[in-house]
Amino acid sequence: DLEASAAADKRKEADGYWQNWFSEGRIPEKPDEFTEMALTNLAAMKAVCVGGYVPADLTGHYFCNKMPCYYARDSIMVARAFLTAGYTRECRDIICYLMGRKRKENGEFYQRYDGYGEPNEGANNEVFHQIDSIGYFCRIVYEYLKQTGELLAEEKLLCQLTDVIFHAEQKYGMAGPEGGVNEGVFGGAFITSSNMFIYGGISAAGRIFTEIGNTEYEKKCKEICVRIYKGIQSTFNKKLGRYDYGYVSYHDRVVRKYDTPQYFGPLFVYADDENM
């Protein structure tokens, strides 16, 4: 009986904790099946996010140094989910954690960090980049600013990240070459969907520069977006009515492979044009 009573008390305490936390966000008054799934996912993200650190995977596939590893891009997706649901504190923690990580000499984020937040690229990722994380980062900083009025990133950092994209290697206007899991199938690649996310982030950075009066970088962001947009359009497959995967560094023909992430482009404010 004592064991059962103790378990009941712990369950009551846990229920109270989660109910209080859920009430801090924007939860619909009339829950439906979708809301229940959203709450389950929010609880899962809250449970694994420690001080802004978001592990990429707890199953063991994305481990390094015998511990879960961390990807900038993945963490910002979690931050955006928190922000959209009204949990600005958790979103802020994630953004600040990323800003505290070491970056490469040219200013870009490393692809991967270990559980201590130290760079750890892995066995075969070091030769490529994951600069679409800059797009995600600039977009979340802008959205956080619009929602809270607080600009978390210093102007100097935003300039450095913009310059990474401005000076990145190009192919038909697109920035790259990206490398990672999907991208590793083809080696270094200039990927349509990645450039959509970069476009959305750099356009957001341009709006921030407008607000703080940095006309030089406002103009630079516009130049980048025009260039990248043109490159993305060059991958549109009129016959199939969709964009192709993109280009690789070792030949000039477009890779006509399905590129699912492109459909998330407008969510990160890539242009919702006629082709899209």
Side-chain angles (χ1 to χ4, degrees), residues 10-22:
K10 289 294 183 183
R11 179 55 191 258
K12 183 178 180 181
E13 183 180 335
D15 287 344
Y17 170 85
W18 285 109
Q19 195 58 48
N20 289 336
W21 185 73
F22 283 137

Side-chain angles (χ1 to χ4, degrees), residues 255-272:
V255 177
R256 291 180 174 172
K257 176 180 167 63
Y258 196 51
D259 181 37
T260 308
Q262 67 186 235
Y263 294 109
F264 295 104
L267 293 179
F268 291 84
V269 200
Y270 172 71
D272 190 14

Side-chain angles (χ1 to χ4, degrees), residues 43-92:
M45 293 190 302
K46 173 66 173 174
V48 300
C49 183
V50 180
Y53 173 87
V54 182
D57 188 351
L58 294 177
T59 66
H61 187 64
Y62 291 102
F63 265 46
C64 60
N65 292 343
K66 298 181 180 181
M67 64 182 80
C69 63
Y70 167 95
Y71 286 84
R73 172 174 59 189
D74 298 29
S75 75
I76 300 169
M77 290 181 183
V78 173
R80 197 165 191 261
F82 278 134
L83 184 66
T84 304
Y87 299 98
T88 55
R89 183 177 69 247
E90 285 75 11
C91 177
R92 189 183 196 280

Side-chain angles (χ1 to χ4, degrees), residues 204-239:
R207 292 184 181 184
I208 296 174
F209 288 130
T210 299
E211 291 193 19
I212 62 180
N214 189 330
T215 56
E216 176 188 355
Y217 274 82
E218 176 190 2
K219 180 181 178 183
K220 186 174 283 190
C221 287
K222 289 179 180 178
E223 290 176 5
I224 292 171
C225 288
V226 169
R227 185 185 79 205
I228 287 179
Y229 181 81
K230 185 177 180 181
I232 290 172
Q233 296 309 307
S234 73
T235 72
F236 188 72
N237 189 321
K238 294 182 179 179
K239 183 177 180 180

Side-chain angles (χ1 to χ4, degrees), residues 189-210:
F190 301 79
I191 306 164
T192 302
S193 56
S194 292
N195 274 267
M196 287 180 175
F197 303 133
I198 292 170
Y199 175 102
I202 294 298
S203 65
R207 292 184 181 184
I208 296 174
F209 288 130
T210 299

